[in-house]
Amino acid sequence: MKQRIDYHQIAQRAIQAMLGLEAYVRSSELEHSLIHLVKIRASQINGCAYCIDMHTKEARADGETEQRIYATSVWRHAPFFSERERAALAWTEALTLVHTQGASDELFEATRVHFNEQEIVALTSAIIAINSWNRFTEAFRPEVGGYVPAAAGRTG
């Protein structure tokens, strides 16, 4: 697929706003591994190849295992995730599929068992951010496959 618009160039103020939300999430108490899982899962649901490529590479660079990355789409059936991660993934699915699933009171209360209020807001912000990025990439289709995480370093 050919990129439709270079939205990073066209909408720099919008990108800066999005990066501000990302900075908020990164500065929160949430574990980086959990944030990676959330980004991967939402991107899987949304069918965002660009974001799946990016976030699986970032997760690997931060030490995430291949086994857990591969099992993210079937997290309910895989023993590799903590109860806290399962709560985050359930919340991710509910907010990503809000039009069909919604965020029920029962799910919110189940999430509260594993996250304090600040963490729930940060987790929700991470989900909002990745869903927004997924929509940018669906609309404007940046080239998939060339992303190199900063942790892995760039050459040239």
Side-chain angles (χ1 to χ4, degrees), residues 8-23:
H8 284 272
Q9 288 299 316
I10 301 297
Q12 292 178 9
R13 288 179 49 211
I15 299 305
Q16 287 305 312
M18 292 288 295
L19 292 174
L21 185 56
E22 291 284 348

Side-chain angles (χ1 to χ4, degrees), residues 4-143:
R4 294 173 173 166
I5 294 174
D6 184 350
Y7 60 95
H8 284 272
Q9 288 299 316
I10 301 297
Q12 292 178 9
R13 288 179 49 211
I15 299 305
Q16 287 305 312
M18 292 288 295
L19 292 174
L21 185 56
E22 291 284 348
Y24 166 75
V25 171
R26 273 193 311 279
S27 70
S28 74
E29 297 175 10
L30 296 177
E31 305 91 316
H32 287 236
S33 60
L34 183 122
I35 295 168
H36 289 309
L37 293 175
V38 164
K39 290 179 177 184
I40 292 166
R41 185 64 191 126
S43 298
Q44 289 170 335
I45 292 167
N46 290 322
C48 184
Y50 183 87
C51 292
I52 291 170
D53 178 64
M54 171 188 280
H55 297 299
T56 57
K57 287 176 178 176
E58 287 180 347
R60 281 185 201 97
D62 281 348
E64 187 57 79
T65 67
E66 296 290 319
Q67 185 179 47
R68 284 169 39 96
I69 290 170
Y70 298 149
T72 303
S73 64
V74 292
W75 62 269
R76 284 182 177 85
H77 308 288
F80 319 122
F81 302 99
S82 70
E83 290 304 312
R84 180 174 164 92
E85 290 167 335
R86 290 176 184 284
L89 291 167
W91 191 242
T92 299
E93 289 182 359
L95 296 182
T96 300
L97 298 168
V98 71
H99 66 288
T100 59
Q101 192 167 326
S104 69
D105 289 341
E106 295 79 16
L107 180 59
F108 180 77
E109 291 305 321
T111 305
R112 276 183 92 122
V113 169
H114 301 283
F115 296 91
N116 66 39
E117 289 182 353
Q118 287 182 326
E119 291 172 328
I120 292 173
V121 171
L123 176 61
T124 302
S125 297
I127 297 164
I128 290 166
I130 191 56
N131 276 284
S132 295
W133 288 120
N134 290 164
R135 280 141 182 84
F136 265 119
T137 60
E138 175 60 23
F140 304 123
R141 297 194 176 148
E143 185 177 329

